[in-house]
Amino acid sequence: MSAVVEENSQTLNFYRPDYFVKTPTMRSPDYVQLSTAAAITLGLVPGVMHRTSCTNCLNLLMTYPEGCRANCTYCGLARHREESRDYADRNFIRVDWPTVRVDEMLERIAQNSDKGDFQRMCISMITHPDSDNDTMTMLKRWMEVAPHIPVSILSNPTTMEKQDLINLKEAGADIFTVALDAVTPEIFERTRGKTVQSPHSWDKYWQAIEWAAEIYGPEKFGAHLICGMGETEQEILEVCQKMKDMGGHNHMFAFFPEKGSMMEDWDPVPQDHWRRVQLGRFLIDYAGGRYDDMKFDEYGRVVDFGYPEAELEDIINSGKPFQTSGCPGKDDEEVSACNRPYGDSSPSDIRSFPFALNKEDVEIVRRQMRLQDLQFPG
């Protein structure tokens, strides 16, 4: 069943993407989309996730029939898909995003339908004229019902000014993040700038990051970075260091070709490239590592992490660098509450582990990273 309808009011409570029915009209702030993992955790859809009890973060996405007005080449929500899929039916980071009436969602939260699993909620904005105001409305409603669950904002800098960041913090937002995604101006422009008829700009995104550093403070802001869109390991780790020096954190995603996007024919990020970047990011964010101490070859690949070998081995054996990176939960500041199960890979070839790695998982990662080819300090 793709929808539940109250007979008297004809109010739609829940819609699961279905290409064989007419997509109903659903609009924020009355409706919001949520990840499949979050829908399972809330009991809205049946299902289980491979080796994990779904998610500790309720990921929400603002929704409008007109859809996102940006045209990012790697995104399943991009404007160019208007002819093939209604917005509420489009896949995003590999999965469907069902739509729920906000009243229904908040009632389930109040009734503890997640059984205490949610350690964080995240509101993802999109490029739409109403998204800023509706995000504020959603935040205020959340704080009335569940102030004990901290809120992150995944922002849309293109439509925001500095005062918007201040207003969101005053209303209760705990962490502010920016989906920079592309880590060089050139890649940003060819994937989400005017070159592809999209409104975003590199300078505006970095301006928002600087505002967030000032307004939210250390450890309370971050940037999403996608690994595998043409950058070198050196380029992406340099950005990681810049973010860390500003006081923020880096939330890393492995590029996976989204079906229906303009980059659907690109290859996923190579395993060795990804694993080295994951390890480098963790060292920078949590273990006192420095980009300046790392060494790179002529192709920009890490050949030396500039870190004591015994300590590096312990960090690798912990498995933490290879888990999903994102906003923290309450259990461990080095482990993300937002584990996004299989958002950047299939369970048969896990890129971001949505669970703690066991010894066998770590050995697989080691082989993928080809650590035997790296040079360690003596």
Side-chain angles (χ1 to χ4, degrees):
M1 178 180 293
S2 40
V4 176
V5 179
E6 297 175 359
E7 292 183 1
N8 294 331
S9 64
Q10 294 297 302
T11 299
L12 183 71
N13 276 345
F14 182 70
Y15 172 77
R16 196 170 182 180
D18 187 341
Y19 303 151
F20 299 102
V21 301
K22 179 178 172 60
T23 306
T25 299
M26 298 170 293
R27 181 181 296 276
S28 295
D30 296 323
Y31 289 89
V32 70
Q33 289 178 263
L34 71 170
S35 68
T36 296
I40 292 172
T41 304
L42 266 184
L44 287 163
V45 298
V48 294
M49 292 280 180
H50 176 63
R51 291 181 61 184
T52 183
S53 57
C54 292
T55 182
N56 294 123
C57 183
L58 174 56
N59 295 104
L60 304 181
L61 183 67
M62 307 307 285
T63 188
Y64 306 93
E66 304 84 24
C68 184
R69 308 322 295 155
N71 205 35
C72 303
T73 59
Y74 51 86
C75 183
L77 303 179
R79 192 182 69 244
H80 79 271
R81 296 193 72 189
E82 287 175 325
E83 293 182 1
S84 61
R85 290 284 183 268
D86 287 329
Y87 182 76
D89 289 329
R90 297 176 203 171
N91 49 290
F92 178 52
I93 58 171
R94 295 192 69 252
V95 299
D96 287 336
W97 285 64
T99 306
V100 64
R101 190 165 63 100
V102 170
D103 287 346
E104 173 75 14
M105 179 195 68
L106 292 176
E107 183 177 341
R108 286 175 179 257
I109 291 294
Q111 294 173 349
N112 198 37
S113 295
D114 66 312
K115 300 180 176 61
D117 284 342
F118 288 141
Q119 298 180 23
R120 179 165 293 277
M121 186 272 276
C122 178
I123 307 174
S124 295
M125 304 172 66
I126 66 169
T127 307
H128 186 279
D130 297 334
S131 185
D132 290 356
N133 289 335
D134 292 341
T135 296
M136 178 61 76
T137 299
M138 181 69 245
L139 174 60
K140 289 178 178 178
R141 292 203 62 192
W142 180 268
M143 296 305 294
E144 292 172 357
V145 174
H148 61 287
I149 300 177
V151 177
S152 295
I153 302 293
L154 179 54
S155 64
N156 176 39
T158 298
T159 62
M160 302 184 79
E161 298 300 333
K162 187 175 182 179
Q163 188 62 44
D164 294 317
L165 279 70
I166 295 171
N167 294 344
L168 288 165
K169 186 174 191 296
E170 291 177 347
D174 174 55
I175 290 177
F176 188 92
T177 62
V178 173
L180 182 65
D181 294 348
V183 300
T184 71
E186 296 77 18
I187 296 173
F188 190 103
E189 177 58 28
R190 72 167 168 79
T191 59
R192 56 192 329 213
K194 291 183 173 58
T195 299
V196 290
Q197 298 181 319
S198 200
H200 304 316
S201 80
W202 174 263
D203 290 343
K204 184 62 186 288
Y205 268 62
W206 273 105
Q207 182 183 60
I209 293 171
E210 291 168 0
W211 287 341
E214 175 188 345
I215 296 164
Y216 286 77
E219 314 296 323
K220 293 295 184 179
F221 72 97
H224 287 197
L225 309 176
I226 299 178
C227 179
M229 296 206 297
E231 79 295 326
T232 66
E233 296 168 27
Q234 185 170 4
E235 287 170 332
I236 196 167
L237 289 174
E238 184 176 15
V239 172
C240 287
Q241 188 66 63
K242 180 177 180 179
M243 282 295 303
K244 177 63 175 177
D245 290 345
M246 294 174 68
H249 283 298
N250 300 282
H251 305 168
M252 201 73 68
F253 294 69
F255 174 78
F256 187 93
E258 186 83 48
K259 186 177 180 181
S261 73
M262 286 185 276
M263 293 177 68
E264 66 178 355
D265 294 327
W266 273 54
D267 292 329
V269 59
Q271 290 175 333
D272 61 322
H273 176 103
W274 171 238
R275 295 304 182 199
R276 289 191 293 269
V277 166
Q278 279 186 301
L279 179 55
R281 190 278 317 179
F282 186 88
L283 294 175
I284 290 169
D285 270 5
Y286 296 113
R290 295 285 306 176
Y291 163 82
D292 303 331
D293 296 331
M294 298 177 185
K295 293 182 174 61
F296 303 87
D297 66 15
E298 61 184 310
Y299 301 105
R301 296 176 300 198
V302 182
V303 295
D304 186 340
F305 285 100
Y307 207 84
E309 182 175 356
E311 295 177 32
L312 186 63
E313 286 294 311
D314 288 342
I315 288 172
I316 293 170
N317 287 334
S318 76
K320 287 183 179 181
F322 314 106
Q323 291 186 242
T324 308
S325 54
C327 293
K330 61 185 179 182
D331 296 334
D332 187 336
E333 67 176 13
E334 296 178 352
V335 176
S336 172
C338 181
N339 64 340
R340 305 186 297 276
Y342 312 110
D344 59 8
S345 65
S346 68
S348 62
D349 180 20
I350 301 173
R351 299 302 174 95
S352 298
F353 283 83
F355 49 80
L357 285 71
N358 61 29
K359 186 176 180 179
E360 290 74 21
D361 297 323
V362 171
E363 288 307 311
I364 290 171
V365 166
R366 283 181 176 276
R367 292 196 296 272
Q368 293 173 339
M369 188 163 40
R370 301 173 189 167
L371 267 184
Q372 65 271 21
D373 295 337
L374 299 181
Q375 302 170 12
F376 294 100

